Amino acid sequence: MDIRYLLRKFAPMKLVKSLLCVVAILFLGASVLLSCGNKKTREPRSTKADSVLFAYGAVMNYERVLELVDSFEAKGDISQLNANRWRGVAYYHQGQYRMSEICYRKALDCEVRNQVEQLSYNKSARRLSELLLVKGDFEGALRVAVPAVKKMDESGIGSDIDYAILLNNIGCCQLNLGQDEEANKSFLNAREHYANRWQSDSTSRGFQEAVLGTVYTSMAYINTRRYAESIYWIDRTEMLLNKYMQKPDARREYFDEYQGRIEIMRAVAQIGLGKKKEAAETYKKFLKTNYSKTDVGRINANEYLVPAERYSEAADNYRHLDKMLAEKGMGMTLDNIQLYMLPKFRANMEAGRSDSARVLGRRLLVLLDTAITGQKNSEMAELATIYDTQGKEAEIAQQQMRMSQQRLLSTAIALILVSVFFIVYTLHKRKASHRLAAAHEKLEDAHTKLQKAYDQLEETTAAKERMESEVRIAHDIQMSMVPSIFPEREGVDMYAYIAPARGVGGDLYSYLLLDHELYYCLGDVSGKGVPASLFMAQAIRLFRSNAKLKHSPATIATRINNELTEDNEQGMFVTMFIGLIDLNTGEMRYCNAGHNPPVLDDEFMEVEANAPIGLWPDLEYVGETIENVKGKPLFIYSDGLNEAENMEQEQFGDDHLLEVLRTGHFNNAREVIEKMTEEVEKHRNGAIPNDDLTMMCLKVS
């Protein structure tokens, strides 16, 4: 009997129907689900990314966990330490123990910078020391577990369950290395932490964890043939199990199962001490449990029957082996052949069942050949995964470097643009009328707010939560620049919608109702983020200022272009569709400045090919006229609609756009916008928006 056997006994591979999985629950479940016990200090809260990863782990979607970890790490949502810890968890539950070990080692090599990372460090150390313990690398497990306990002592961060599991691992390693006295101290220390845990928990969970821990300790003494010491821990296990049963939420089937396991461990220890009669009486107590009648219980009973030389009974029990392995989803690996098939062969041989032994012998030859081939294939697949992981890490590092460079570049551009726009604003103020001056005063106030928000954002880039807060401020300011209330005038049905791709963006729309004339515009600034939002703000104010002077759409485009091309060293530009509808006659005059052609009465409009605004000075923009648009719905949009992409980078497309407009039955402009928004989200199917999205629908009756 060895440590691997212990873990096979108490950690089945499939969904557990009862709490048989000692090590799985003890080393992972307790850390994630049950770590709310008595702590050295208050444990820090998990991040939102951790919550998402935990949710996918709870439904065993570990492939998705690995994908999200790469994404979160690249964006900086989780640290390198925490990312490697989650990779270790995912690979462990996929049975890729070598990959899991590599990831946990990488996690422990990272610098611990805060409380959340210390908590991840504790969990990584627990799992890695377990993996090394199972491999029989006792010295390696100690090199992981001992420093982890020291770090918890120094930081004051670690729950009693963290301490208990790591100290149990340390004790098992020390026991296997012949350090009996040190092992006993470690086990006793672990026992104190289990006691702290159950004393702080009003439910049965604390005693349940303690039972699992002492079972593990008892088996460690049995595996190293220290039978006298194992009796002490077996007695303690029974005492804790009885205390567990006194709790209101205790389960009878759990008590029966572990009572059966205790009797088998005690019988094995008694046989090891030469007390055959006492062992036989203990085995009779085992047979009185319901657990003894289960397939798992019968196989477990053979731990006593074989050393007691009761081979016929053991051989009978082994008839249930295939069923037990199938229920647990355990394939015939080399470990399972050693742990189950060879003892089954021996039991049949010793029982004199030569025919059964011969059949088993032939089966063993086939199983060994299959298992050896399977292990080679598994190792090759694991090696390929390791190479793939290394490639991903390099890609993530490059992506993070690119993101840092982009942030620095955006900061520099934004500061330059703020200065340029302030100069433009000052010059324009001297030339404009009182009405224009009032409009630009609002623009200056908006610029000041944006600059203040961006300065705060720049100063606190190390704190992610603060950064998100400042982006929300900029978004709110930007949204305040586009109207959210639309004309409540008989015969006018108008609605618009804007959704920046990055919190703040460069799309824009606006309108101005002057007596019976309705001015409106919709535009798309080159680029995204803060620089685009500043350019967008300037374009909106210039549109409104010129519309108040009742210029034609073409004149408005020409004047905005003259203003925005002045000192435009960064080469930014904006495509715009500017329109003016006479609500009495239905005449629509418009100017399209490099923008997507709108849809009028479910057909794309033929528009003049004017240049985008802001590229070249002194351009004269050409306007166009439609005599009457009454009763014809007008739909204007930015390319964030027709170029919206899904996970496969397939675009929404012009045909899809027209199909929605033609087949839909809409009572008003708002329903058109809401239906189109719904269709875009359905097309994206979870993909992150690749561009700002802005739409406007207008109908004059």
Side-chain angles (χ1 to χ4, degrees), residues 84-131:
N84 280 309
R85 198 264 296 183
W86 275 109
R87 290 188 185 103
V89 171
Y91 284 126
Y92 181 89
H93 285 282
Q94 290 177 324
Q96 299 184 45
Y97 301 119
R98 176 58 180 157
M99 280 299 302
S100 180
E101 179 184 333
I102 290 172
C103 292
Y104 282 127
R105 286 190 184 278
K106 288 182 178 180
L108 298 185
D109 286 339
C110 295
E111 179 185 358
V112 178
R113 299 171 297 181
N114 53 49
Q115 292 183 339
V116 173
E117 291 185 354
Q118 179 63 52
L119 188 61
S120 287
Y121 181 95
N122 299 346
K123 294 175 181 178
S124 300
R126 282 166 46 179
R127 178 63 74 188
L128 180 56
S129 61
E130 172 204 339
L131 288 168

Side-chain angles (χ1 to χ4, degrees), residues 488-502:
E488 296 183 0
R489 175 166 174 164
E490 185 178 357
V492 178
D493 181 15
M494 182 179 189
Y495 191 77
Y497 167 82
I498 184 170
R502 295 184 182 176

Side-chain angles (χ1 to χ4, degrees), residues 129-397:
S129 61
E130 172 204 339
L131 288 168
L132 297 173
L133 180 60
V134 172
K135 287 171 55 178
D137 184 3
F138 306 120
E139 293 178 349
L142 284 176
R143 284 194 294 271
V144 171
V146 172
V149 172
K150 184 178 179 182
K151 273 184 176 287
M152 287 195 295
D153 288 336
E154 293 173 349
S155 65
I157 301 172
S159 65
D160 282 301
I161 200 65
D162 286 335
Y163 276 99
I165 294 174
L166 282 167
L167 289 168
N168 247 335
N169 286 350
I170 291 171
C172 289
C173 293
Q174 291 168 332
L175 204 59
N176 281 276
L177 293 172
Q179 301 171 9
D180 294 14
E181 185 176 348
E182 292 85 348
N184 186 57
K185 290 179 181 178
S186 297
F187 288 134
L188 291 175
N189 199 355
R191 183 182 70 178
E192 293 178 5
H193 286 285
Y194 281 123
N196 291 338
R197 176 70 175 91
W198 79 60
Q199 289 168 4
S200 65
D201 193 345
S202 60
T203 69
S204 63
R205 178 61 66 182
F207 283 109
Q208 187 175 331
E209 291 169 345
V211 167
L212 297 176
T214 51
V215 165
Y216 192 52
T217 304
S218 302
M219 292 300 296
Y221 276 106
I222 290 174
N223 290 337
T224 54
R225 303 184 185 279
R226 292 163 172 81
Y227 301 113
E229 293 91 335
S230 71
I231 294 294
Y232 166 82
W233 289 100
I234 293 168
D235 290 341
R236 180 164 182 79
T237 304
E238 188 169 28
M239 179 270 292
L240 292 171
L241 187 63
N242 289 327
K243 287 190 176 183
Y244 161 81
M245 200 57 199
Q246 295 171 14
K247 290 290 183 178
D249 60 335
R251 296 184 297 111
R252 185 71 197 179
E253 60 272 20
Y254 179 87
F255 175 84
D256 177 85
E257 175 185 334
Y258 277 89
Q259 187 63 51
R261 292 187 179 277
I262 287 169
E263 302 301 351
I264 287 298
M265 289 192 299
R266 193 187 302 279
V268 172
Q270 288 169 337
I271 281 290
L273 293 170
K275 299 178 180 181
K276 293 186 177 182
K277 289 184 179 181
E278 292 90 334
E281 291 300 318
T282 301
Y283 184 67
K284 289 179 182 179
K285 294 180 183 179
F286 164 77
L287 293 176
K288 293 178 182 179
T289 65
N290 293 328
Y291 174 69
S292 68
K293 300 174 181 61
T294 65
D295 295 330
V296 175
R298 289 187 176 99
I299 301 304
N300 193 16
N302 287 349
E303 294 307 308
Y304 159 73
L305 293 173
V306 171
E309 300 180 355
R310 297 167 66 166
Y311 298 116
S312 293
E313 294 173 73
D316 291 339
N317 283 345
Y318 274 125
R319 292 175 181 173
H320 302 273
L321 177 60
D322 289 344
K323 183 180 177 183
M324 184 201 78
L325 294 176
E327 287 177 352
K328 293 182 179 181
M330 298 168 65
M332 277 303 164
T333 62
L334 292 175
D335 282 345
N336 287 339
I337 290 172
Q338 178 187 7
L339 295 174
Y340 298 115
M341 297 306 296
L342 292 179
K344 180 178 180 179
F345 176 79
R346 179 191 171 194
N348 279 274
M349 282 291 293
E350 296 292 347
R353 301 179 183 181
S354 56
D355 290 342
S356 297
R358 280 196 295 271
V359 172
L360 277 172
R362 287 193 294 270
R363 186 183 175 192
L364 275 170
L365 292 175
V366 175
L367 290 175
L368 281 170
D369 181 68
T370 303
I372 291 171
T373 302
Q375 182 163 321
K376 289 180 179 178
N377 292 338
S378 177
E379 289 174 351
M380 292 175 64
E382 187 177 84
L383 184 60
T385 305
I386 292 173
Y387 286 139
D388 182 57
T389 301
Q390 292 172 342
K392 286 182 179 178
E393 289 176 347
E395 183 179 343
I396 289 171

Side-chain angles (χ1 to χ4, degrees), residues 540-568:
I540 284 181
R541 295 304 177 193
L542 290 171
F543 162 77
R544 294 181 63 85
S545 298
N546 283 278
K548 288 178 181 179
L549 297 177
K550 293 194 174 185
H551 292 306
S552 69
T555 302
I556 292 174
T558 301
R559 285 174 172 256
I560 295 176
N561 182 68
N562 289 337
E563 292 289 346
L564 294 183
T565 52
E566 187 174 346
D567 297 324
N568 184 9

